[in-house]
Structures are given as structure tokens and as C-alpha cells.
Amino acid sequence: MTAAAPEPKANMGQPVPRYDARSKVTGRATYGSDMPLANPAYAFLVTSAIAKGRIDNFDLDDARAVRGVIDIVTHENAPKLKESKLFSNGGYAGTTIQPLKSPDIAHDGQIIAVVIAESYEAAREAANRVKVGYTIATPSATFDSPGTTTAAAKGQNSQFKEDPKVGDFAKAFEGAEIQLTASYDTPTQHHNPMELFSTSCAWIGDDLVIYEPSQYVHGLKNGVAEQLGIDADKVRVVNPYVGGGFGSRGSMTPRTAIIAGIARRLNRPIKLVPTRDQGFTITTHRAETRHEIKLGARRDGKLVALRHEGAEVSSRPDAYCVGGTKTTTRLYACPNVDSLVSIVRADRNTPGFMRSPPEVPYLFALESAMDELAVKLNMDPVELRRINDTTTEPIGGKPYTSRSLMACFDEAGKAFGWAQRSRQPKSMAEGDWLIGYGCAATCYPTQMGPAAARVRLQRDGRTRVEIAGHEIGTGAYTVIAQTAAERLGVPLERVAVFIGDSDLPPAPVAGGSNSTASTCSAVMMVCDQIRQRLFKAVMPSDSLTEKAKETVGISQAPSTQAAKSDRPLDIEKAFDALGVGVVEEYGEWKPEGAPLDSFRAMHSGHVRLVGGHQMKDKIAYAFGAEFVEVRVNRFTHEIRCPRLVGAFAAGRIMNPRTARSQLMGGLIWGMSSALLEATEIDERSARYVNDNLADYLVPVNADVPGVEVILLSEQDDHINPAGAKGLGELANVGTNAAICNALYHATGQRIRKLPVRLENIEV
Amino acid sequence: MRSFLYQRATDPDMAVQALSADAAANNPLTQATAQPLAGGTTLIDLMKLDVMRPAAIVDINPLAGGWSAIEPGGENLRLGALAKMSDVAAHDEIQRNYPVIANSLKLAASAQLRNMATLGGNVMQRTRCSYFRDVSYENCNKRNPGSGCAAMDGVNRMHAVLGVSDQCIATYPGDFAQALIALDATVEITGKSGSRSMPFSELHKAPGNSPDIETTLQPGELISVFVVTGRWPRSVYLKARDRQSYEFALSSAAIALDVRDGTIRDARVALGGVATVPWRAREAEALLKGQKFDDGLAQRAADAAFADARGRRHNSFKIALGKRVMARALQQAVTMEI
């Protein structure tokens, strides 16, 4: 065992190497734009240089003169496409702003033309030569810009049904011994996955194949079919590997149907590879948010009142919001809670899911405020969390299925050396550097969605697992292979996994950290169907069949437990008894509490995630605690973060290696979202300014010299058959607050606005 | 990127000839239709972004044989314009006798870029102003003379506070140039009418009323060698930036001192990240010379260096930051063991 492959504790799988490690490091893994196409034409996008207004005219002469140009598609000659509803509103799309439909411009960098040429270079050169005449209207950029409108999220966003509240907040806050009111801001951010937002479309007769990095192949397939007005069975989306997603590829962007439509008209495959800066405006982003937190507490630290008000920026037509109050109002014991989420409409593209969409901004506010309260109380911030820890959430009084928050604080605190912290701000230093320690809680809802799988077992143990899951770098291939191997009792190397193809049985969007729980639960169920068939063959007597069902049936217990208590199955004997060469099973699994239309929705590319606070008699979250050391240079005010330590508990850990890797990436993301990442907006023009990876800063290796991940053993039998809680979006939550809490400790200065830059430090 | 003619110059004359082809057109160097290609780490970027649209590229890498020498041995230090940043930064004698050079190079860009980029190209690199680098913004006096400056009242956190004009506040982004300024280097230039040399401090031009003219080089001229007189073991480069590596300076200071018996006999101060050109703080140098060093003197020198600084909406912090960085660099230079 190494740091990269931690020793499994109780209720953890083996840290086997990644199923796809070799193909990735040797460059054999094929991503969307790597897929060979027969005689493709190349597309390059032209995007708007204004955020609001209309196109008066195009001058295309110069562009058409470039050798190799085939066509230039604008709103005047674009293929007609049907509209799709917003993803979070029962549709497939990440925005309802449909480009190339009219001369109107609704946001910066909107697609206004597509150049098609014989080569990428010719298409790009011609795109550079397209001249556009605009009538410019004054756009509203963001909060406080003239012309924005604000309204409560409730009533305009179908996913945001209720502002959580309980008790009498106003009275309790009024009478609280200690009161805290503070406001917090988080910036616009962009996902910037390594793989660009490419799309290749090839028609074979009436059938369309799309190669595109997607986090939801069944959603994209159905969405594109809807826009093109064709049967969904005519569309296939293929992406065996996806170069990162982080939410940016969960919903359909307008580009795909546009490229498909042009390819149909041209009767030729088309490959589109947009640039990095175009990726900032042709997909979604994390919207900037504002928060006001009010906390009322007793002198002993017990919370008596909590109010969280959040505001988020969205586009003119779409009421997108993340509404993280659903989590922050339920994290700690508190009898009087109030909340309100508002949406501010501006001339921007519609924001969308970005890694832990609600929790990153909303827990920044709450976990910063908890630290401020601890300071007011002169109390250790860890102890303040312990005092307010709870086994039931305060809004509906439902029990957490499991909650290891304080165990995480204790483990991470020990590894970090929290006890060595001197309480006073500005009391620790080394050379030119002021040192600060800070911590924060993290949590993320445990979510699952309906999923189907097909498993084929051969007499020699070779196994083929098919499920339209997604390998976005998380380790999906690996944990699915491990699940099948364990459940069928075959060697891991005999298992072949096929994912990332909409011709395979549908799985949910790879979002909301549901994938492992959903896909592995489905694969377990189908493997059990195979076991049952084999058992029945070798033990035809009814009583024995019942016994077999007890041990290997559709168990709610984690798979290793079931596997251990099972008697070993003699596959060859069973095949002989059955008299077949191959056993194949297909099955559809849905989580407890899934809606009645779950399977219908699953096949039409609609997501039906359940879990988190939406479960009937319980609430399911994964938890963690993060400790950070920051250093502030007393001369330059540069801020560095030499150590990040996190401890996490997320039910069954399928593979400690891939889990650690995700959590480590999460900690780095979290640090980045506090100190580096922000999309700058030119307020006059409502345009992005730093839309590239030189100016939009992400950490380099030198920024993260010390990252430690501790996996806690946790068993939860109340969530899903796999017993797994999602952890892909767990570690990047709360880190931002931990950093600001540490900065307070280092400097005595409380910073409530992200990202923190050196000019924000006054020492 | 637009189609271009690729030429390969195998000797300096050929390079000069190819690059002077359109000298008659009277274009400023940045707009010349033929551009030299060395490491390519700036030029190719700007061509992809459609900011630079040369009709011809003259690859001068074949000249490396004669133009990439690193010669620290004699009275003068000679550095060939085609020497790679990484080779110079790693050179023992440079590290020992010219730490300001070694560190300014080591703290720039990334390992990959330093392996590609040349010294000559490095000093010629163009601003990172986002509005300059994005052609969809019309207002850029550097790109479209007379069109205005979008950065002036836009997002200008990274922009300059020294040497600015009403036409342009774009920051000179490099690090190495500050070291050359601090060491009062000379630059040798090869052109149509043979070679000439001039103080490095005369190479870059502040924006004034013509931000599109960035240097005093003419089309057809190439930097061949940088020359530094004497040895400067008591020299430092201090750089403040948003992340630990691979990031441009928010503020930097290149300091070279001659201290004897506690008295500053000579002081050279150059500032980066805060100015439109590699910036020499002569007022500060005058204050320092002949004085015994203390923190108060460093503070006064820093105040003098930034006396004419002009901040705008997002970059005003650079004035206070620049002073602290400069004062700290002076302290480091005075106290360093040599």
C-alpha cells in the first residue's frame, strides 16, 4: 500500500489500479475529437462581441475568400431547430437561449455564425475574417448593475419549491445572547475541464452518431433528437472517455444540434473543436452569489436562531438557481431557522451545475459565519460544531442515515496538529510568513437515480458489463468492474466494462455525485439475477433456492458482506446444469422512494435523482472536515496554502485509491475557489475578460505541496444497495471557508468575499 | 491564425534581409508584415489569437550557433539573444555573480516555456493586457491606434501604475528585462546597416501617444547580444504574484548594490509588474547612493520610486505593494551573504 493506494479499512473495497490507467497514460484512450470520421468538414464558431443587442449585418466576403471554406452558417441560413426546455425544468438544455435563431444577442460570446471548411485552419482563419455590424444595447452585467430584476426563487424555479424554515427565527434571534450578522460574496467561476467542448456529428442515412464529451449520453441523445425533430432511437452519443466534466457537460448546449443540423444538410461529417475562451460562453458557469447569515446563540455555543439569505445571478429567460439553503438550514441543530433565495436576472448566459453547485457558495457563508461565532464566543471552532452536532435535521426532524461529522473533525484535526494552534490571531509566524490555521465542515447530499445494466457471464468467468455510465476521470470503469467481480466471484481481470455510449442501458447523469451509488447498485442487482439463475440450476429444490435467495438475493447489505457470507459458486457446474454457454441478464434498478415514472423518464433521458433531504423519513449526506494552513507574507501579502488535510466519511468506499484521488482533487479545487478562481466581468459590456487559462488562475503543483486525505470507515445500510455515498463533490465544499478562517487566524482580518487576493490583506 | 509564408534564415544577413522586406511600408515593428520566430512562445500565441497577422515568419533559430553564447568569464558578461532562458538560469557563474539574472529567469513562466523561450524573445514579449489579447474588443490603441483603451476603465487589476499615458496602461510583463535594467546592460543590434549598440534602457518605449510603438527597434533589426559590465553578486530579484509558479508579477523588484563598509556605493533599482516598460527607479537610486542602509532609507527610496505612480480602479494596490516589494528586495540585497 502506498499513499496513492490507502489500506482499506472496514467497509472499503480494494485500492485496485484504475481499469483505464494504461490506456490513459499511453494515449490510447480516445476522446470525442479523437474519433476518426470519414472525410470530415471542420467547423469553427464565431461568437458575439457584445452581450446585448442585435446583428445588423454580416460582411462575409473576406471570410468566403479563404481557400477551403465550404459554408458560413448564420441566423439567416441556419437549420431550423426545435426548442428544448431547461434541464432543471424537465427539458435537456443548459440554456433556453437558442443561438442562430434570430439576429438577437442575449449574452457575451453567443454563437452567431459557424464557418465550415475543409480544414480546421481554414475554418478558423475564415472565422477571424467574419465582420459583424451590431446595434449595441446597454447590458446589465451582474449584481448592482442598472436594469437587473430580482425576485424570490420560489415560484419561478420548479426545482426550488420551498425556502426551508422552522420555529420563530425573528423572536429567537432578537432574544439571543450572542448575535452575528455577516455578508459573504462568491464569484463567477468556470469549470475549465481539460477536454475542450468539442462535438463531432456523422450521419449514416437517417441515423446520427455524436462524439462529444458528455456527462449524460442519454440526456444528450434525447435532447438532440428533440431539437432535430427525429426519433431518439436514431441518435447515438458515444464518449468512452471524458476529459473532465465538473457539471459543464451534464446538460445539452446549443452547439450540438446546430452541428448535427449542418452536418445533415451538408451530408458530411463535421468536427467542431471550440477554443478555450469560447468554452467560457457557449456552456454554463457557476454564477456569482451573495449571502447574508444571521446566527443567534447561547453563551455556551448552542445555536438558537439561524437565517441564511442567498442571491444568485441568472440569465434573462432562465430562472436557474442552486439554492444551497436546503443544506445550510439542516447542517446544525437549531430550533429557529429562516431562509430566502432570490434570483437576479442579468444579460448573461444561463448558469449551470458546477461541482457541488449549492454547497460551494452556501457553505462558504455558513462555515465562515460559524467561525466568526466561535471567535465571538471565544470558543474552539471545532467545539462549536460539536455542540451543535445533530443526528436529526432541524427543518423536518428527519434522522440522518449516518453522520460522521465529528469523527471527521477529530481524525483530521489530529492528523493536522490542530492542538498546536495558538488561539490568538496573528500569534503564529515563521520568517517572513504569518501562519494561520483554519477549519470547516463539508457535506454533500447522497443521491441516487434509476439505472439499468446488462451483464453477460461466460463459462470461463469472462464477464461483460454494459451500462451507459460516464468516465469523467472519477474511476467509473474501475468501481463498476470491481462491483461485478465481487458480486459474481470472478477475477477482476476477467471483467470488461462498456460505458459512455447511449446504445447501452441508461444510467443517470454523472452529476450530483450519484454515479457510483446508482451504477454499482444496478450492476449488483443484475449480477444477482445471474447468480440466482445459476443457483437455481444447481439447486433446483425450492428450499435451497430460497436459501440461496437469502444470501445472494437483492440484498440491502453492502456487497462485500454478502459476498463473504455466500458459498462459493461453481460457475462451470452451474453452466453445465443450465446447458448454456452464456448467461446474460438485463435489469432496471431504482432507488427507494424514486417516483413512479422513474423508468420511463430514465429511457427518455430525464433525471430522477432522489436522496439528500428529499427522502421520506430520513436524510442522507456524506460528511467531512477540512483543516488548512495558510501563510501570508508580511511584505508582499502573498497568500499560500502549504497544507490541506481532510477527513471524509461516505459510506462504503468502493476503491480507496480512486476515492482518495477524487477527494484530493476536491481539496485542491476548494483551495482554488478561495484563492484563485474567478471569472472577471467587464461591467460596462457584461463580457468576460480573463477567459483563458493564463488569466483564469488554477493551482499549479507548487501551490499544493501538501494535501492529505483521510478516509473514515462508515457503514450505512439505509441509502442504496451499494451502501455508497457520493464523494466526488464532497471535498471541494467548505475549503473556501476553512481558508478564510485560517486567514483570520493568520492576520486578524476577516475576509468575506472570494477570491481572496493579496490586495485584500491588510497586515 | 492566418496563412503565412515560413522562411528559415541560415545567417544573420539573410534574416535581416527577409525581415526588412517591407521596411519601406514604414510599419512599426509590431505591425511589420515579416516577424522573426525564435522560441515562438509569444508570437505563435498572438497569431492564434489573431492579434498578430504577419504575412511572413522568419525562423531565426538556425542562428543559434553564433547567437546563444553564455559568456560570464571576462570583464563583461555576454549573453546571446538566442540563449534559452533555462540554460542561462541554470548556469553556475550566472547564479553566483548575477543572481538577479538567474532568479528573474527562474521565476518566469514554466519549465516548458523556459526551455523554449530565448532571451531576445523574452525582452520583446508583448503585454498580457486581456483587452489587447482579445481582438473582439475594438478599443485598443496598441492594436488599433486611435481606437481608445478598454482597460482604462475596465478590468485593470494587472495593469501599470508607472509610465502610463492617457492612451495605454498595459503592463510590460517580463522579468528578465528588469534584471538587465538594474545591471545597466547594453544591447547589441544587428540590422541592415551593420551592428549598433545602445543601453538596454533605451530599447523599450513608454506608450505616450503611440502605444503601438513598443521599442526603438526598426523592422529588419534583431537583438544579437546583451552585455553587462562588471560582476553583481549582491543582486536580487523579488517577485510577488498570485500563485507560486507560472504567473506574471503583480510587482517585482530587481536590485543590484555595491556596498562597502556599510555604505551603498552604487545602487540600481528596476521595477516590474507595475510599469508600462521595464522601469528604472532613478530617483530611488539617487537617494540610496552614499548612504548607510536602514529600513527608513528603504522606505524613502520606495516612496520616491512610486512618487509619480497613478492607480486606477483595480490596480491602485500596486502602489503600496510595489513599495513594500522594493523595500524588502533592498533589505534582502543588503543582507545577502556574498
Side-chain angles (χ1 to χ4, degrees):
Chain A
M1 298 296 155
T2 63
E7 185 86 45
K9 300 173 185 165
N11 199 26
M12 293 187 191
Q14 289 300 310
V16 303
R18 279 175 196 269
Y19 179 94
D20 45 344
R22 188 170 292 271
S23 60
K24 278 189 173 165
V25 299
T26 55
R28 268 196 209 122
T30 44
Y31 293 79
S33 62
D34 299 330
M35 294 297 191
L37 300 172
N39 188 30
Y42 296 83
F44 198 88
L45 303 177
V46 181
T47 56
S48 67
I50 66 168
K52 189 181 184 184
R54 54 186 287 127
I55 297 163
D56 293 331
N57 56 73
F58 283 103
D59 176 354
L60 303 177
D61 293 348
D62 208 15
R64 285 193 203 284
V66 174
R67 196 165 59 185
V69 169
I70 298 166
D71 196 7
I72 300 176
V73 180
T74 70
H75 66 272
E76 288 163 349
N77 60 348
K80 294 281 173 276
L81 299 170
K82 296 197 171 72
E83 287 171 29
S84 181
K85 282 191 290 190
L86 204 65
F87 185 89
S88 49
N89 214 9
Y92 304 100
T95 177
T96 63
I97 300 166
Q98 182 62 43
L100 302 184
K101 209 179 85 177
S102 79
D104 297 332
I105 305 289
H107 64 84
D108 172 33
Q110 181 178 315
I111 298 170
I112 55 171
V114 185
V115 178
I116 310 294
E118 296 291 345
S119 70
Y120 173 81
E121 291 76 14
R124 186 169 187 168
E125 177 168 357
N128 283 337
R129 291 173 184 271
V130 169
K131 295 184 197 72
V132 190
Y134 297 105
T135 297
I136 304 173
T138 305
S140 309
T142 180
F143 291 121
D144 302 335
S145 298
T148 55
T149 60
T150 305
K154 183 184 166 184
Q156 50 172 341
N157 179 308
S158 62
Q159 303 252 299
F160 192 86
K161 296 191 178 76
E162 208 62 57
D163 286 303
K165 48 190 73 173
V166 70
D168 186 342
F169 165 80
K171 195 171 152 211
F173 183 73
E174 181 76 34
E177 289 174 331
I178 308 288
Q179 294 172 344
L180 175 87
T181 302
S183 298
Y184 304 90
D185 287 32
T186 65
T188 314
Q189 295 178 332
H190 277 79
H191 316 75
N192 281 310
M194 283 306 293
E195 187 182 4
L196 294 167
F197 293 95
S198 71
T199 293
S200 295
C201 288
W203 291 85
I204 303 156
D206 292 338
D207 291 301
L208 170 65
V209 181
I210 301 169
Y211 301 109
E212 175 179 314
S214 167
Q215 291 172 252
Y216 192 23
V217 289
H218 272 270
L220 185 60
K221 157 188 154 141
N222 282 277
V224 171
E226 181 184 73
Q227 282 208 276
L228 293 172
I230 61 174
D231 191 319
D233 284 346
K234 295 285 182 194
V235 181
R236 181 181 177 199
V237 178
V238 181
N239 62 1
Y241 298 97
V242 179
F246 315 116
S248 64
R249 316 194 202 269
S251 49
M252 177 175 64
T253 72
R255 74 186 194 275
T256 313
I258 290 171
I259 296 299
I262 298 172
R264 180 165 60 180
R265 189 161 73 189
L266 195 64
N267 195 23
R268 198 170 156 184
I270 294 182
K271 181 190 279 197
L272 167 73
V273 183
T275 60
R276 175 64 62 187
D277 65 311
Q278 288 173 342
F280 275 72
T281 60
I282 65 168
T283 68
T284 62
H285 58 275
R286 191 197 292 284
E288 57 273 37
T289 68
R290 285 182 173 175
H291 308 261
E292 187 191 74
I293 299 269
K294 284 180 182 288
L295 296 178
R298 299 195 321 221
R299 268 185 221 294
D300 63 5
K302 260 306 204 196
L303 287 173
V304 295
L306 181 155
R307 184 171 196 278
H308 191 164
E309 184 171 342
E312 309 175 24
V313 171
S314 189
S315 63
R316 293 287 182 193
D318 297 324
Y320 179 86
C321 77
V322 298
T325 47
K326 63 191 168 210
T327 293
T328 54
T329 57
R330 292 177 169 94
L331 182 52
Y332 295 113
C334 183
N336 302 291
V337 178
D338 191 24
S339 67
L340 176 67
V341 172
S342 304
I343 302 176
V344 174
R345 305 292 189 100
D347 296 301
R348 300 273 296 283
N349 198 2
T350 306
F353 310 98
M354 181 164 159
R355 203 171 186 181
S356 338
E359 284 75 20
V360 164
Y362 281 75
L363 255 77
F364 170 63
L366 179 62
E367 286 298 287
S368 294
M370 286 296 279
D371 199 73
E372 296 202 46
L373 181 61
V375 170
K376 276 201 169 200
L377 291 161
N378 195 25
M379 183 180 278
D380 185 316
V382 176
E383 294 315 304
L384 179 63
R385 269 90 174 185
R386 198 183 311 279
I387 287 166
N388 291 291
D389 192 26
T390 181
T391 53
T392 57
E393 55 88 11
I395 303 297
K398 294 187 285 191
Y400 279 97
T401 56
S402 58
R403 175 167 160 132
S404 307
L405 176 64
M406 292 321 298
C408 289
F409 265 110
D410 293 340
E411 286 282 319
K414 203 166 70 185
F416 179 82
W418 183 249
Q420 274 86 62
R421 169 186 187 255
S422 75
R423 180 80 59 85
Q424 277 308 308
K426 262 183 125 163
S427 61
M428 295 168 70
E430 187 183 320
D432 288 358
W433 298 88
L434 303 173
I435 297 173
Y437 288 0
C439 66
T442 172
C443 67
Y444 194 79
T446 298
Q447 303 186 97
M448 294 73 64
R454 188 183 298 113
V455 179
R456 187 171 72 183
L457 176 66
Q458 293 181 212
R459 197 171 188 278
D460 61 5
R462 273 188 291 168
T463 304
R464 180 185 172 96
V465 183
E466 299 181 347
I467 180 164
H470 308 83
E471 179 55 70
I472 53 176
T474 48
Y477 279 109
T478 313
V479 296
I480 289 171
Q482 282 180 282
T483 300
E486 269 175 19
R487 210 61 179 182
L488 292 172
V490 300
L492 184 61
E493 57 275 13
R494 288 280 165 105
V495 181
V497 178
F498 294 83
I499 62 180
D501 183 339
S502 66
D503 274 3
L504 302 173
V509 63
S513 293
N514 86 86
S515 282
T516 299
S518 307
T519 59
C520 292
S521 291
V523 169
M524 281 171 67
M525 188 194 83
V526 178
C527 289
D528 287 345
Q529 291 169 206
I530 290 180
R531 288 186 69 104
Q532 286 197 48
R533 269 181 70 187
L534 297 177
F535 263 107
K536 273 189 187 172
V538 288
M539 290 185 277
S541 132
D542 276 358
S543 61
L544 285 172
T545 304
E546 282 312 307
K547 197 179 162 207
K549 261 188 193 166
E550 268 172 34
T551 52
V552 298
I554 306 163
S555 162
Q556 289 293 308
S559 59
T560 42
Q561 286 214 332
K564 271 181 202 149
S565 59
D566 285 350
R567 41 188 299 181
L569 175 61
D570 186 337
I571 294 178
E572 294 195 2
K573 198 171 154 198
F575 268 85
D576 288 345
L578 266 178
V580 298
V582 165
V583 177
E584 185 170 287
E585 285 286 332
Y586 168 87
E588 298 181 342
W589 174 83
K590 67 176 178 180
E592 183 192 330
L596 281 174
D597 74 342
S598 284
F599 290 133
R600 186 156 51 93
M602 176 179 83
H603 286 284
S604 61
H606 292 107
V607 175
R608 293 287 184 271
L609 293 187
V610 298
H613 73 281
Q614 291 168 315
M615 300 169 99
K616 196 157 167 265
D617 301 314
K618 54 193 176 186
I619 176 169
Y621 271 74
F623 290 90
E626 301 184 1
F627 289 75
V628 305
E629 175 183 329
V630 298
R631 294 191 167 214
V632 177
N633 187 293
R634 59 173 99 235
F635 299 101
T636 63
H637 297 183
E638 286 168 297
I639 306 161
R640 299 292 183 255
C641 182
R643 288 199 299 142
L644 294 154
V645 177
F648 307 95
R652 177 169 170 76
I653 302 298
M654 310 299 282
N655 179 329
R657 181 198 299 264
T658 56
R660 170 186 175 270
S661 178
Q662 284 205 73
L663 293 164
M664 182 168 62
L667 283 166
I668 296 168
W669 256 67
M671 183 280 279
S672 183
S673 96
L675 296 178
L676 298 173
E677 290 187 48
T679 311
E680 309 278 0
I681 301 160
D682 186 312
E683 287 173 20
R684 303 163 301 178
S685 60
R687 301 193 62 201
Y688 296 138
V689 176
N690 59 338
D691 52 356
N692 60 77
L693 283 180
D695 296 325
Y696 182 96
L697 297 184
V698 295
V700 295
N701 277 318
D703 291 308
V704 282
V707 186
E708 187 182 350
V709 171
I710 299 161
L711 297 165
L712 262 65
S713 184
E714 183 184 73
Q715 181 156 340
D716 191 327
D717 298 334
H718 310 289
I719 41 179
N720 54 62
K725 298 177 175 177
L727 52 73
E729 295 170 85
L730 180 59
N732 61 315
V733 175
T735 330
N736 44 14
I739 297 259
C740 286
N741 299 342
L743 283 170
Y744 172 78
H745 182 232
T747 66
Q749 187 191 347
R750 180 64 65 178
I751 296 175
R752 303 185 180 89
K753 186 173 182 190
L754 299 181
V756 189
R757 304 287 197 207
L758 60 73
E759 61 265 35
N760 306 126
I761 301 283
E762 298 153 10
V763 285
Chain B
M1 192 181 286
R2 305 190 177 203
S3 307
F4 59 89
L5 177 71
Y6 173 84
Q7 294 164 283
R8 206 169 157 79
T10 49
D11 61 62
D13 285 348
M14 190 175 162
V16 165
Q17 181 115 22
L19 290 167
S20 327
D22 67 338
N26 219 8
N27 285 327
L29 183 68
T30 52
Q31 303 290 328
T33 54
Q35 294 286 340
L37 173 76
T41 57
T42 294
L43 177 66
I44 303 298
D45 272 10
L46 291 173
M47 287 170 67
K48 284 183 181 170
L49 294 171
D50 208 32
V51 172
M52 291 185 73
R53 304 163 181 177
I57 292 294
V58 181
D59 186 344
I60 57 168
N61 284 296
L63 311 186
W67 282 18
S68 59
I70 303 170
E71 294 168 355
E75 187 99 324
N76 296 333
L77 164 67
R78 292 177 67 83
L79 296 170
L82 289 178
K84 299 288 187 188
M85 291 171 72
S86 50
D87 290 337
V88 179
H91 197 287
D92 276 351
E93 282 179 76
I94 304 286
Q95 289 180 359
R96 200 163 49 242
N97 293 325
Y98 307 93
V100 66
I101 290 181
N103 288 328
S104 71
L105 291 167
K106 211 183 311 176
L107 296 175
S110 66
Q112 295 88 337
L113 287 165
R114 292 193 294 271
N115 285 337
M116 285 299 289
T118 64
L119 297 188
N122 180 280
V123 302
M124 294 298 288
Q125 73 177 308
R126 304 189 67 189
T127 184
R128 304 295 302 190
C129 172
S130 305
Y131 298 99
F132 166 73
R133 289 170 62 87
D134 185 341
V135 294
S136 71
Y137 286 95
E138 252 173 50
N139 305 336
C140 175
N141 288 325
K142 228 179 228 315
R143 248 191 303 112
N144 304 322
S147 63
C149 172
M152 202 68 72
D153 296 309
V155 177
N156 51 30
R157 175 174 182 263
M158 299 300 288
H159 287 71
V161 295
L162 289 169
V164 297
S165 74
D166 295 340
Q167 306 293 312
C168 184
I169 56 170
T171 306
Y172 171 78
D175 295 296
F176 172 58
Q178 274 72 249
L180 293 175
I181 291 278
L183 301 182
D184 212 2
T186 301
V187 57
E188 291 183 5
I189 293 157
T190 298
K192 226 174 171 180
S193 43
S195 291
R196 65 182 176 110
S197 69
M198 66 176 172
F200 179 76
S201 56
E202 289 173 17
L203 179 68
H204 291 87
K205 292 189 71 172
N209 285 323
S210 45
D212 57 321
I213 299 172
E214 296 176 351
T215 65
T216 52
L217 286 190
Q218 299 299 316
E221 287 192 317
L222 285 168
I223 298 170
S224 56
V225 183
F226 301 98
V227 183
V228 174
T229 307
R231 292 182 182 172
W232 294 89
R234 187 174 293 286
S235 65
V236 302
Y237 189 71
L238 180 63
K239 179 176 181 179
R241 46 184 166 170
D242 283 322
R243 61 182 173 193
Q244 182 66 17
S245 180
Y246 193 23
E247 176 59 358
F248 294 93
L250 289 166
S251 169
S252 70
I255 308 282
L257 298 180
D258 179 3
V259 181
R260 279 180 232 173
D261 307 324
T263 301
I264 300 170
R265 309 260 304 229
D266 196 1
R268 311 277 188 75
V269 180
L271 303 173
V274 291
T276 54
V277 291
W279 191 259
R280 182 153 182 187
R282 291 188 190 274
E283 305 80 357
E285 292 175 1
L287 268 174
L288 291 164
K289 275 181 206 166
Q291 303 294 311
K292 298 264 184 205
F293 184 83
D294 61 35
D295 288 351
L297 179 66
Q299 188 57 54
R300 288 196 299 282
D303 287 342
F306 284 87
D308 293 332
R310 276 196 286 161
R312 298 196 72 86
R313 185 170 172 200
H314 303 114
N315 69 351
S316 294
F317 74 94
K318 283 189 172 182
I319 299 172
L321 171 66
K323 290 181 188 179
R324 289 195 309 268
V325 166
M326 184 184 141
R328 180 59 180 155
L330 280 169
Q331 284 175 348
Q332 288 181 348
V334 167
T335 55
M336 73 189 288
E337 308 256 335
I338 57 170

